[in-house]
């Protein structure tokens, strides 16, 4: 049955544990470019805004195909987007129960009502029919999360909730794009009223600290978001709106400009690793794989398996013994969290509940080497054969 995993792992080819993401190794091929760009900002004395941030915003806009502004984090981006949509007490905002807390937190922070919807079992993303079942005359926005690196089906969502502004939480899917219907070829985060992005270091496009961005093809909305991110100013010391202080740091922008250049090859590498996993794990009866969908490509921010809930802990321990990290995103759906207990549940959230018991993600970062990919395949296959 089980080969002594630790012995197998400590073979000649493998000597270091395999983390979920290995940033020094990812950065190694262009570390000197990063060092130079960051130092240039340090020596420039320009530490807030300026041309380095503008250059990144322009490059990100070109890459995504929609105007982009930088902000302080993905969470700020969500909050500013909702503020620009005038979300306030008395409004309802629909959000999946199966996502990272930030997607829902900002709704509560603005005094609005969090209305949970469920997700689709095989795509992990928002279920348009579930959204339909919780719509009301108070619904003021929907947050659609492009979870794990793949687009939610925004066109289907629009058909189920016509006219309701959609904020695409694209924290996990920078670089993903739609592959079906009227949004074919468009980037995730550019088709809703707003798209919001996180540059948390481990994301598809990760900074060297916190960072985020907001995209919108609606110039008025984006200008409003830009003003809100800068204390609601229309011009210096003229505050027309209540705002916040949320800026993309020039040091982060400098690093992001370089990392954006290397993003296409990083995404290609991740897709190639994911394809190897899909082939290797296909025969495993107990493992449900993240199969491609018709409406989106996949950037594999995460490679997330569904395993029998009673085997997940054992599998995680086995992987750990093999020196391979795993993570559960997310072990508790948000409607079951203490901070959100006061938001009423209006529809079945059974898929979110089931997924939180059976999902587990394995390393899929772009700097994995063939022996590491092989060791991960062997470990998964050994456990479930
Ligand atoms: C789905 C989702 N939304 C929002 C965020 C928040 O981004 P940040 O950490 O940059 O605030 C994250 C970050 O993990 C996320 O995964």
């Amino acid at each position: 049955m089980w080969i002594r995993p630790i012995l197998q792992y400590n073979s000649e080819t493998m000597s270091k544990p395999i983390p979920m993401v290995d940033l020094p190794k990812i950065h190694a091929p262009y570390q000197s470019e990063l060092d130079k760009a960051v130092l240039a900002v340090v020596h420039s004395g320009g530490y807030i805004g300026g041309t380095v941030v503008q250059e990144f915003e322009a490059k990100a806009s070109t890459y995504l195909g929609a105007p982009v502004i930088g902000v302080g984090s993905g969470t700020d981006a969500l909050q500013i987007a909702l503020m620009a949509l005038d979300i306030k007490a008395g409004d309802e905002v629909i959000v999946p129960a199966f996502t990272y807390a930030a997607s829902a937190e900002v709704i509560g922070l603005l005094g609005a009502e969090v209305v949970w919807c469920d997700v689709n079992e095989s795509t992990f993303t928002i279920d348009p029919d579930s959204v339909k079942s919780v719509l009301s005359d108070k619904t003021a926005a929907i947050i659609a999360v492009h979870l794990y690196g793949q687009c939610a089906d925004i066109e289907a969502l629009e058909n189920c909730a016509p006219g309701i502004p959609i904020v695409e939480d694209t924290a996990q899917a920078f670089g993903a794009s739609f592959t079906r219907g009227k949004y074919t070829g468009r980037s995730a985060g550019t088709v809703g009223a707003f798209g919001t992005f996180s540059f948390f270091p481990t994301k598809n496009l990760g900074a060297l600290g916190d960072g985020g961005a907001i995209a919108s093809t609606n110039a008025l909305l984006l200008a409003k978001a830009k003003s809100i991110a800068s204390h609601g100013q229309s011009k210096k010391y003229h505050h027309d709106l209540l705002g916040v202080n949320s800026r993309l740091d020039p040091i982060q922008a400098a690093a992001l400009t370089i990392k954006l250049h290397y993003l296409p090859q990083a995404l290609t590498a991740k897709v190639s690793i994911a394809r190897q996993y899909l082939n290797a794990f296909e025969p495993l009866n107990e493992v449900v794989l993240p199969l491609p969908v018709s409406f989106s490509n996949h950037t594999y921010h995460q490679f997330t398996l569904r395993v029998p809930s009673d085997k997940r802990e054992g599998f995680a321990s086995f992987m750990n013994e093999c020196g391979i990290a795993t993570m559960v995103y997310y072990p508790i759906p948000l409607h079951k969290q203490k901070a959100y207990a006061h938001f009423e549940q209006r529809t079945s959230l059974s898929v979110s509940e089931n997924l939180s018991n059976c999902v587990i993600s394995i390393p899929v970062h772009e700097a994995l080497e063939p022996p590491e990919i092989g060791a991960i395949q062997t470990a998964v296959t050994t456990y479930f054969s």
Side-chain angles (χ1 to χ4, degrees), residues 98-100 119-125 145-152 169-174 176 203-204 270 290 297-306 312 327-331 352 355-356 358-361 364:
F98 188 69
T99 178
Y100 183 57
V119 293
N120 178 291
E121 189 179 30
S122 50
T123 64
F124 310 103
T125 53
V145 186
H146 300 310
L147 203 73
Y148 299 154
Q150 183 172 253
C151 299
D169 180 345
T170 320
Q172 302 190 7
F174 194 106
K203 295 292 197 264
N204 282 352
K270 278 148 80 85
N297 66 5
H298 207 319
T299 59
Y300 294 102
H301 171 56
Q302 302 297 342
F303 190 93
T304 303
L305 308 169
R306 282 182 282 153
R312 185 171 69 180
M327 282 295 285
V328 172
Y329 306 107
Y330 299 94
S352 298
L355 287 177
S356 63
C358 68
V359 290
I360 185 158
S361 303
V364 69

Side-chain angles (χ1 to χ4, degrees), residues 1-10 318 321-322 382:
M1 250 282 294
W2 285 7
I3 349 167
R4 276 276 312 139
I6 204 75
L7 292 181
Q8 180 202 16
Y9 172 71
N10 278 333
F318 176 77
E321 283 174 53
C322 294
T382 302

